[in-house]
Amino acid sequence: MNPMQAILNQMVNSPQVQNNPMAKNAMQMYQNGDSNGLKSMAENLCKERGITVDEAKQKVMSMFNH
């Protein structure tokens, strides 16, 4: 098993994911290669929070650029 697969397995089986229906659904979509489903979920989450997808991307990228 490659390192990326090991990390994904740990994430999928973690209690945080298993106890969160949205996270569990997102991981299943990722594993199934459903990029359209993930995109739609992300767009809906942004809409619910009153931000644009670009604003969300900027926030995520700023977390990695410290």
Side-chain angles (χ1 to χ4, degrees):
M1 178 180 309
N2 70 44
M4 184 66 170
Q5 188 60 47
I7 292 169
L8 286 172
N9 285 345
Q10 285 181 329
M11 288 174 60
V12 168
N13 295 319
S14 74
Q16 293 89 349
V17 170
Q18 291 300 313
N19 295 328
N20 182 325
M22 189 178 298
K24 191 173 180 178
N25 186 29
M27 290 303 296
Q28 288 173 341
M29 284 190 282
Y30 175 78
Q31 288 179 315
N32 292 331
D34 184 3
S35 58
N36 288 332
L38 287 168
K39 180 180 176 186
S40 178
M41 178 184 277
E43 290 169 344
N44 288 335
L45 286 169
C46 289
K47 186 176 180 180
E48 286 176 13
R49 287 168 174 75
I51 62 173
T52 67
V53 173
D54 287 333
E55 289 170 330
K57 286 179 189 176
Q58 288 174 346
K59 286 182 181 185
V60 170
M61 292 308 293
S62 71
M63 292 177 0
F64 294 101
N65 290 330
H66 288 293

